[in-house]
Amino acid sequence: KNEVEQSPQNLTAQEGEFITINCSYSVGISALHWLQQHPGGGIVSLFMLSSGKKKHGRLIATINIQEKHSSLHITASHPRDSAVYICAVRSGSSGSARQLTFGSGTQLTVLP
Amino acid sequence: EPEVTQTPSHQVTQMGQEVILRCVPISNHLYFYWYRQILGQKVEFLVSFYNNEISEKSEIFDDQFSVERPDGSNFTLKIRSTKLEDSAMYFCASSGAESSYEQYFGPGTRLTVT
């Protein structure tokens, strides 16, 4: 069973700061998701990656398969980025085991 | 942009009652999932569904739970006899064919069992 750990659990930043959220997992995976959960509870998929790096606007996600580690970066943070950011991994080989195992989430608060 | 929808957004029920949570996945997706999140806890996988049958399920998904795709567009989760500990946010998700595993989540149904 994959164990997914996120750090930090809580993060408070000033508007404009560069933010990094980390995720590590215990067992090899076929894909890793970064998700955003807003106070109302809805979940939005930000990235899915299995290697390298992806960028979308001010968000950057990287993954190091050998080290079993991924990071989510937010550049020029803004109060509207305040949310819970969740890492979720899919274990198993391609075509099997599609279920996701979730981390506990990182509560990000960006102050104006 | 296509999205996963869920109804109702909030369901209150009494212990022992049956509830059905409904989801409309993205129309050309083939894989469907239910997850739940108890307040303050991690999101947990319940079940995945493909080709009109369950493909994976967790230990949480016991005989009290069932899933169905009754009409080719809806995907439902039924809890036969609700317990207090079933109170949670239930998320439906869907994903496309073999080459695309990204899962798209619905807004969730908050189930409160009293």
Side-chain angles (χ1 to χ4, degrees):
Chain A
K1 184 182 172 184
N2 222 329
E3 300 293 333
V4 181
E5 300 290 335
Q6 283 186 240
S7 63
Q9 284 190 311
N10 292 284
L11 180 56
T12 300
Q14 289 295 134
E15 185 172 355
E17 284 186 9
F18 180 84
I19 285 159
T20 296
I21 299 170
N22 296 298
C23 174
S24 61
Y25 49 91
S26 58
V27 177
I29 62 170
S30 51
L32 181 144
H33 293 247
W34 281 103
L35 309 165
Q36 182 188 56
Q37 185 171 33
H38 279 281
I43 293 176
V44 174
S45 179
L46 298 174
F47 294 104
M48 185 194 71
L49 62 168
S50 53
S51 65
K53 176 178 171 178
K54 285 191 176 180
K55 184 175 190 292
H56 182 67
R58 295 180 294 107
L59 302 178
I60 303 165
T62 64
I63 188 167
N64 184 318
I65 296 294
Q66 286 73 32
E67 293 186 5
K68 297 186 178 63
H69 180 269
S70 175
S71 293
L72 176 69
H73 305 286
I74 305 175
T75 61
S77 59
H78 190 276
R80 65 174 174 267
D81 297 325
S82 298
V84 176
Y85 291 84
I86 302 171
C87 168
V89 301
R90 183 165 59 78
S91 305
S93 58
S94 177
S96 69
R98 292 170 178 267
Q99 62 173 280
L100 297 179
T101 303
F102 293 75
S104 298
T106 295
Q107 172 68 63
L108 171 66
T109 304
V110 182
L111 302 175
Chain B
E1 186 176 327
E3 59 183 18
V4 177
T5 59
Q6 290 185 242
T7 54
S9 56
H10 190 190
Q11 172 98 44
V12 181
T13 190
Q14 287 193 320
M15 199 166 50
Q17 295 296 304
E18 174 184 285
V19 293
I20 297 176
L21 310 183
R22 290 184 166 79
C23 168
V24 179
I26 292 172
S27 63
N28 61 347
H29 282 184
L30 301 176
Y31 295 85
F32 315 111
Y33 314 84
W34 284 103
Y35 297 92
R36 79 171 186 191
Q37 186 178 33
I38 295 170
L39 188 63
Q41 297 186 21
K42 294 182 184 186
V43 179
E44 301 171 287
F45 168 77
L46 291 178
V47 66
S48 62
F49 192 85
Y50 170 72
N51 201 25
N52 285 318
E53 60 183 25
I54 290 172
S55 51
E56 298 171 281
K57 61 181 181 178
S58 70
E59 58 271 16
I60 302 168
F61 194 87
D62 61 21
D63 293 343
Q64 291 278 79
F65 293 90
S66 62
V67 289
E68 198 177 33
R69 189 155 160 79
D71 56 13
S73 61
N74 289 283
F75 178 52
T76 62
L77 174 70
K78 182 193 288 186
I79 309 174
R80 267 178 258 287
S81 178
T82 50
K83 304 190 273 282
L84 294 176
E85 54 265 37
D86 294 326
S87 294
M89 190 78 143
Y90 288 81
F91 293 101
C92 172
S94 68
S95 65
E98 294 288 337
S99 62
S100 172
Y101 298 131
E102 183 159 12
Q103 296 185 22
Y104 295 83
F105 288 79
T109 292
R110 183 167 299 283
L111 176 66
T112 302
V113 182
T114 61

